[in-house]
Each structure stands twice: as structure tokens, then as C-alpha cells.
Amino acid sequence: MTLEAVRALLPGARSIAVLTGAGISAESGVPTFRGPGGLWRDFRPEDLATAEAFANDPRLVWEWYDWRRQKIAAAKPNLGHYALVTLEKRAPELTLITQNVDGLHPLAGSRNLLEIHGNLWRTRCLSCRKVRDSREAPLARIPPRCPCEGLLRPDVVWFGEPLPYDLLKRAIRCVEACDLMLVVGTSGLVQPAASMADAALDRGVPVVEINLDPTPLSGRASYVLQGKAGEILPKLL
Ligand code: BV8
Ligand code: ZN
């Protein structure tokens, strides 16, 4: 049974790298990007999550983020998030790399966390560049403005924008140092996150995919556990 084989790998793992995507928050009621219900007013994420879309229509882009912030404000971490917190406590070393911007991993208690696509609970001012925490949902004013009168944007990485260099460097370094990698709830379509598993596979390190559906990684992963992250991860503990 694959689940037993993967469970047997955990006690001996010295350094675990975990990569998560929107699928780990699905059971918390947070819509995924490419699954059913993930769309908003028939827009594709690639159409709205760009600097061009924001420059053209900051109000539309902020209406989408305000909708997501309200959904996420009502969401709680699920058993998948908490299982990764437990695993981080047990393993000698575990780095959690997430593409998610929903803030549910830090809320669940994950510490060694790299939010490589940013966090939608932070804003950045286009004028004075100040980054702030902002928990207001719904936003009182759309688009929100800085006290300096500058336009605020969500502090997330949009398509066509580079990932924060230090976070990306740390993520690649931990994948290159790990002796086990878990890839949970990601469709494996967005780069550079989607290529991280290759850095582990190329070194012969076991890569375990946990996903509802097959993805481009499934054919190369060492183990594929098909199902819900909130059900599978606790069973691995
Ligand atoms: C960069 C933040 C270079 C915003 C996100 C052509 C033109 C332009 C660019 C490109 C191009 N081709 C490639 C690129 C690069 C581009 C890219 O990859 N595009 C894709 C669409 C082809 N990448 C970029 O632009 C990146 N930057 O390359 O910069 C550069 C370098 C130097 C200088 C200038 C530029 C930036 C990418 C980051 C984009 N930002 N988000 C926001 O979220 O608002 S990406 C967005 O997608 C989210 O972060 C999300 O996490 C991410 C990936 O999606 P997933 O997490 O995988 O979610 P998805 O819905 O797709 O899948 C869910 C999965 O879960 C499914 O498999 C499902 O089966 C599974 N699931 C569902 N329920 C469960 C489950 N699994 C388990 N349990 C469940 N219960
Ligand atoms: Zn400002």
C-alpha cells in the first residue's frame, strides 16, 4: 500500500521539503485557481493577477482580491495544514514552501515557511513602497490608498513578476538539501514552483505527490497518493 510505504519514509527523513498549492486550502472553503468554483466572474487568474491588469483597472483587480479576502477571512486552517505543523515539530528539519497567498499556513502554526508568492493580507504602496498588514475584509475603500495618497496593491507576486529573490533562493536551497519532498495540492502549472520537484528527483530523493487529480508531476513522482490533503496528511503522521 503506497500510504504505508510513504509513512515508513517519514521517521528516517532528516530534512523534509514541502511544496503546497491551492489544493491544501480547498477543504477550508478557499476556491482553487483551476478547479471547479475557482473562477471569479469568468476571469482567469492569469488575466487578473498581472501588473498590466492592475494598471488598467485597479478597482476590478481589488474587487477580486476583496472577494478572496472575505472568503479567506471566513476560512479556518484544515487538518492538512495542521498535519504539516505536527510534521514540522517532529522532523529534525522541515521547510514549507507555499504558493498560497491565503495565510492559512502561518495561521495554523507553520514556522519555517516560505510564502514564495506573497500574502494577500499585506498591501504595498506604489508610491512610498511601504508594506503593511491589512486585515480589513471587506475593504472600506476600493481601491485602497496609503496615507501618503499612493495607490496600494496586494503584496503578492503576479504573473510576469519575479519571485522575491531571497525567498526563491532559500526555497531552491532547501529542495537541494532535502532527503524527502512532499508536493501537496498543486496543479504543477505555474513556474518556477512547478520545477522545484525536479531538483529533488534529479538527486534521487523520493518525491511524494498528494493530489485529488493527476498532474504533470504524477508520472515522475516516486509516490502518488490520490485524494484529499486533509485526509491523507493526517494518516501519514
Ligand atoms: C516569473 C499570486 C519571470 C497571486 C500566483 C508566458 C507568459 C508570461 C509568463 C509565463 C509564460 N509562461 C510561463 C510563464 C511564467 C509564469 C507561469 O508559470 N505562467 C503559467 C500560467 C504558465 N510564471 C510567472 O509569471 C512567475 N514569475 O516567471 O517571473 C521573471 C523573472 C525575472 C524578471 C521578470 C519576470 C510568477 C508566478 C506567480 C504568479 N502568482 N499567485 C494570487 O494568488 O493572487 S500563481 C497562482 O497559481 C497561485 O499562487 C497558486 O497557488 C498558483 C498555482 O496554482 P495551484 O496552487 O497549483 O492551484 P490550482 O488551482 O492550479 O491547483 C489546485 C490543485 O489542487 C489541483 O491539482 C487540484 O487537483 C488539487 N486539489 C484540489 N482540492 C484538493 C486538491 N489536492 C488535495 N486535496 C484537496 N482537497
Ligand atoms: Zn504610501
Side-chain angles (χ1 to χ4, degrees), residues 209-229:
E209 178 178 52
I210 296 169
N211 198 309
L212 271 186
D213 301 330
T215 74
L217 175 65
S218 307
R220 289 172 293 142
S222 321
Y223 303 87
V224 175
L225 299 173
Q226 186 145 9
K228 293 183 172 183

Side-chain angles (χ1 to χ4, degrees), residues 48-50 53-54 57-66 154 158:
L48 284 180
T50 68
F54 187 75
D57 192 344
R59 167 181 294 283
L60 175 70
V61 174
W62 264 114
E63 281 171 3
W64 178 46
Y65 279 95
D66 193 42
W158 279 328

Side-chain angles (χ1 to χ4, degrees), residues 144-167:
R145 289 215 170 255
C146 176
C148 86
E149 282 309 303
L151 190 57
L152 296 182
R153 61 166 281 175
D155 190 31
V156 299
V157 179
W158 279 328
F159 289 103
E161 296 185 326
L163 275 61
Y165 179 68
D166 61 313
L167 290 185

Side-chain angles (χ1 to χ4, degrees), residues 84-151:
L84 291 179
V85 175
T86 305
L87 191 55
E88 179 179 351
K89 290 187 174 115
R90 281 191 195 163
E93 196 182 332
L94 182 146
T95 304
L96 176 48
I97 304 161
T98 189
Q99 301 171 86
N100 299 341
V101 297
D102 57 29
L104 291 181
H105 281 308
L107 187 60
S110 286
R111 291 276 166 274
N112 197 7
L113 172 68
L114 302 174
E115 291 181 310
I116 58 172
H117 291 166
N119 186 309
L120 56 60
W121 292 116
R122 288 195 305 267
T123 59
R124 188 167 77 232
C125 176
L126 294 190
S127 304
C128 69
R129 318 204 63 69
K130 195 161 163 49
V131 174
R132 289 185 182 83
D133 257 319
S134 108
R135 295 280 150 172
E136 197 187 31
L139 285 166
R141 178 180 173 187
I142 291 188
R145 289 215 170 255
C146 176
C148 86
E149 282 309 303
L151 190 57

Side-chain angles (χ1 to χ4, degrees), residues 187 219 233:
S187 59
L233 283 169

